[in-house]
Amino acid sequence: MTRPDAPTAVRQGSLREWNLAVVLGRIAAADRPPSRAELAAGTGLTRATVSAVVEDLLAGRLVAEAEPTPRTGAGRPSRGLVLATDGPAGLGLEVNVDYLAACVVDLAGRVRHHRVHRADLRPLSPAEALARLADLAADARAEATRERLTLAGAALAVPGLVGEAGLVRLAPNLGWRDVPVPALLGRAAPLTAHVDGVPPLVVDNEANLAALGELHAGPGDRASFLHISGEVGIGAGIVLDGSLFRGTRGWSGEIGHITIRPDGPPCRCGGRGCLETYAGQEAVLAAAGLGGADLPADTATTRLAELAGAGDPAALRALAEAGTALGVAVAGVVNLLDLDTVVLGGGYAPLAPWLCPPVLAEVSRRVLTAAWSPVTVRPATLGAAAAAVGGAGSVVRRILDQPTGWLARPA
Ligand SMILES: [Zn+2]
């Protein structure tokens, strides 16, 4: 920490912080491992400064020397720099209606560990569900340690509205109301090392974290898109100019409760005719005749895709109806926000071949500007694990943006 009575120290501290972040950012963004000379040329820093910064980053296990590439001609082979694969990592956790997930993502964004536990969590109390999640988290930590990674922070995705201090105000499909998640997950608190600037546990809406996962996995850091997670509930993450738009209280993106028909079937939220009652996983499976099959959701979704692929009329009709309802809601969002890309994630991703055409048809029909600027509707890059991976990725992003907290942590 810097002292308020030491302005010079503050300035030097800030400069070092800045240099570390700039050099680390260059290494993270490079297509191939840059040399120290290339980093100096690219950042405008002196070679001596770059060398000193790189020494700090190497000592702190944030970067590593790449395998030398043999040079043709004279001179030493050049050794580029890459992000370390044995340094800090993020822990991503997810609790959803019918599964729990835990994953570990390293500094380079690679998923190093991933486990999903399938079970209907609705009969369990929040404490019981979170105790199971704590077990998964403990396994993830053990695996990270085996891989010589240090968990620097955790992010937990929940299918509901998250208030201050990780309090889950409402998760309608789980039947949770005012659940103090961090306290109940208490066993996970010592899972992560203490790193300044990285919260030990962030609780966020699963659609938000899934959208961040898609942003990190995608091509552009300045992208704008709508990411829709289709599970039992339907949530959306709105990414504008490379940033998540959370709304005033962090509760944006409740696309599942946009009204499709005011006099439609009752919804778990208390309203009627919400998108979820037409395009939620349970509604689609029931319409396809798979409702009472008592299959785990991912198996049922795979089965639905198989049936649709084989031309089963009920499956095709169910998907067309869900896609149409989804398209009506999406068209409203696109008219409002002027987005050009819609990503279908979660349980929607494997069904995208059948959902995209009706969604596009509604968007073309209802979006004022569609004639001049077509909207792309595509499946998510990350599969069903997007929220946990996105959460873990947001932890390592914090370290990349502000590496001094990691470097200063107690050994
Ligand atoms: Zn609703």
Side-chain angles (χ1 to χ4, degrees):
M1 290 297 286
T2 48
R3 282 169 294 132
D5 60 341
T8 312
V10 169
R11 271 203 304 278
Q12 283 171 354
S14 311
L15 186 62
R16 175 173 178 269
E17 248 167 62
W18 174 256
N19 290 343
L20 284 163
V22 165
V23 171
L24 187 59
R26 283 267 164 178
I27 295 168
D31 300 337
R32 56 177 184 78
S35 66
R36 290 166 176 76
E38 286 166 334
L39 287 168
T43 57
L45 297 170
T46 65
R47 283 207 186 202
T49 302
V50 166
S51 290
V53 166
V54 165
E55 285 315 306
D56 283 352
L57 294 173
L58 283 167
R61 290 189 295 137
L62 288 171
V63 304
E65 308 253 18
E67 288 304 307
T69 46
R71 271 228 178 119
T72 50
R76 284 185 305 162
S78 67
R79 292 205 81 175
L81 294 152
V82 291
L83 293 175
T85 54
D86 61 351
L91 173 65
L93 303 171
E94 180 174 7
V95 52
N96 216 307
V97 177
D98 51 4
Y99 66 90
L100 298 163
C103 74
V104 174
V105 170
D106 70 16
L107 206 55
R110 277 183 292 259
V111 179
R112 301 283 291 272
H113 168 85
H114 185 224
R115 288 277 181 287
V116 177
H117 171 75
R118 300 260 167 207
D120 187 350
L121 298 168
R122 285 170 287 197
L124 302 188
S125 69
E128 287 166 334
L130 291 168
R132 286 197 196 181
L133 185 64
D135 288 342
L136 271 193
D139 291 347
R141 179 191 155 103
E143 186 59 28
T145 306
R146 268 195 292 279
E147 300 251 325
R148 300 195 301 149
L149 291 163
T150 304
L151 297 179
L156 166 59
V158 295
L161 302 175
V162 182
E164 279 176 23
L167 180 73
V168 174
R169 288 283 181 199
L170 181 68
N173 293 314
L174 275 170
W176 289 13
R177 191 178 280 274
D178 293 327
V179 176
V181 167
L184 290 177
L185 194 67
R187 287 170 55 201
L191 278 173
T192 61
H194 175 78
V195 177
D196 268 352
V198 184
L201 176 68
V202 170
V203 183
D204 201 345
N205 178 270
E206 53 104 9
N208 282 345
L209 292 179
L212 282 180
E214 189 67 24
L215 175 69
H216 298 157
D221 265 5
R222 310 286 299 165
S224 296
F225 59 89
L226 179 71
H227 180 279
I228 306 176
S229 305
E231 310 292 344
V232 171
I234 307 170
I238 303 163
V239 176
L240 300 175
D241 247 359
S243 298
L244 195 61
F245 174 76
R246 292 175 175 277
T248 311
R249 292 151 303 171
W251 297 345
S252 71
E254 287 297 329
I255 195 172
H257 301 286
I258 283 183
T259 306
I260 303 299
R261 294 194 191 105
D263 55 350
C267 178
R268 281 198 190 88
C269 72
R272 295 192 83 94
C274 296
L275 176 62
E276 240 166 71
T277 66
Y278 298 101
Q281 220 162 43
E282 287 179 338
V284 182
L285 292 173
L290 290 167
D294 207 25
L295 298 168
D298 63 327
T299 314
T301 302
T302 307
R303 181 80 191 113
L304 178 58
E306 285 167 3
L307 286 171
D312 179 82
L316 291 174
R317 199 168 45 241
L319 288 167
E321 282 170 8
T324 299
L326 193 56
V328 171
V330 164
V333 176
V334 171
N335 270 326
L336 194 65
L337 297 177
D338 181 27
L339 298 167
D340 65 2
T341 304
V342 176
V343 182
L344 300 185
Y348 282 158
L351 302 172
W354 299 279
L355 291 174
C356 286
V359 171
L360 261 179
E362 291 307 315
V363 166
S364 308
R365 192 171 297 149
R366 296 168 190 274
V367 171
L368 209 61
T369 54
W372 299 281
S373 169
V375 174
T376 302
V377 182
R378 64 166 176 83
T381 313
L382 297 174
V389 173
S394 66
V395 172
V396 293
R397 286 272 155 162
R398 278 179 186 269
I399 293 174
L400 289 175
D401 289 344
Q402 223 181 322
T404 35
W406 166 263
L407 293 175
R409 80 195 183 286

